[in-house]
Amino acid sequence: SQTIHQWPATLVQPVGSPLSLECTVEGTSNPNLYWYRQAAGRGLQLLFYSVGIGQISSEVPQNLSASRPQDRQFILSSKKLLLSDSGFYLCAWRGSGRGYGYTFGSGTRLTVV
Amino acid sequence: GNSVTQMEGPVTLSEEAFLTINCTYTATGYPSLFWYVQYPGEGLQLLLKATKADDKGSNKGFEATYRKETTSFHLEKGSVQVSDSAVYFCALSADSGAGSYQLTFGKGTKLSVIP
């Protein structure tokens, strides 16, 4: 069966520090991968998605970036965090074809102080 | 473009009350429809889905019917429990080009069930 792993679960980082969040999927190949952010009390914001290795589409081109170095690995990064980067970050994967929903990871709670 | 509109929350109900959370959509093409649930501090979990008109998705006592004529996918449960307290998201999936199906989410409805 397919599983998705996301870590760390919580993170407290100072303003200006770098960020690296990792997401891996097991039990499937060539998944579509997504990074979402959920600010407190708000809905889901799509940040990046990827349909293959090295293919990244950005929806919110701020001080965040994403990479997909391997088929089932998706990394969210920042060189210098801002206070406004605080939130709940969710990774998700999806199989190909119509009718498939997303499977989400358990999320990373990031607090920038 | 694609969009999902769901009723604003928060919704507070007493245990064993009937629940309806309205969801309507606009989409190009023929979307699939989903309801996700998010318990406090957790990621989203797929609750149910429907992929064609008149399909009924169901899970854990929740139901939703794909109504193409009214472009709706309302979530219902006959008798809610305290453990149903969570945020519920309606979503649709449609081809966004080159076979990349992305989900479009509603803003979420927070449900609180009191004993």
Side-chain angles (χ1 to χ4, degrees):
Chain A
S1 64
Q2 302 92 351
T3 56
I4 180 168
H5 302 280
Q6 187 180 343
W7 68 93
T10 59
L11 194 58
V12 180
Q13 292 283 97
V15 169
S17 64
L19 173 73
S20 180
L21 302 181
E22 189 163 343
C23 173
T24 59
V25 181
E26 296 178 357
T28 187
S29 59
N30 197 31
N32 291 344
L33 296 171
Y34 305 85
W35 278 111
Y36 280 85
R37 178 169 61 198
Q38 190 176 29
R42 302 182 67 178
L44 295 160
Q45 180 186 34
L46 178 62
L47 301 176
F48 302 94
Y49 70 93
S50 172
V51 299
I53 296 174
Q55 300 178 59
I56 308 294
S57 296
S58 173
E59 297 290 313
V60 185
Q62 296 174 349
N63 67 318
L64 298 173
S65 62
S67 61
R68 185 170 177 173
Q70 300 180 41
D71 182 43
R72 290 168 288 180
Q73 184 184 30
F74 203 25
I75 297 172
L76 181 69
S77 303
S78 174
K79 292 182 179 178
K80 289 185 177 182
L81 284 169
L82 307 173
L83 286 174
S84 58
D85 292 324
S86 294
F88 193 48
Y89 288 81
L90 291 158
C91 181
W93 78 272
R94 184 188 186 283
S96 60
R98 185 180 178 278
Y100 284 92
Y102 291 2
T103 299
F104 283 86
S106 53
T108 295
R109 174 73 60 191
L110 171 66
T111 303
V112 182
V113 296
Chain B
N2 301 324
S3 68
V4 174
T5 302
Q6 62 182 103
M7 61 188 289
E8 298 278 336
V11 174
T12 302
L13 294 174
S14 298
E15 206 165 20
E16 300 184 1
F18 184 85
L19 168 71
T20 300
I21 300 178
N22 291 335
C23 172
T24 57
Y25 67 89
T26 57
T28 54
Y30 200 140
S32 296
L33 302 174
F34 305 85
W35 275 101
Y36 283 84
V37 59
Q38 184 179 32
Y39 299 103
E42 299 183 9
L44 277 70
Q45 302 174 26
L46 178 64
L47 181 59
L48 53 85
K49 71 175 186 179
T51 58
K52 61 182 188 295
D54 300 324
D55 266 3
K56 178 185 284 188
S58 61
N59 186 24
K60 299 181 181 179
F62 291 89
E63 294 183 339
T65 301
Y66 190 144
R67 299 291 187 198
K68 198 167 189 291
E69 63 277 14
T70 56
T71 62
S72 64
F73 193 54
H74 304 321
L75 182 68
E76 297 182 336
K77 186 174 186 183
S79 176
V80 294
Q81 305 301 311
V82 172
S83 57
D84 294 325
S85 298
V87 180
Y88 293 82
F89 291 91
C90 184
L92 70 83
S93 171
D95 188 359
S96 57
S100 172
Y101 288 81
Q102 290 189 40
L103 261 65
T104 300
F105 287 90
K107 293 185 177 180
T109 302
K110 184 175 182 180
L111 170 67
S112 297
V113 180
I114 53 177

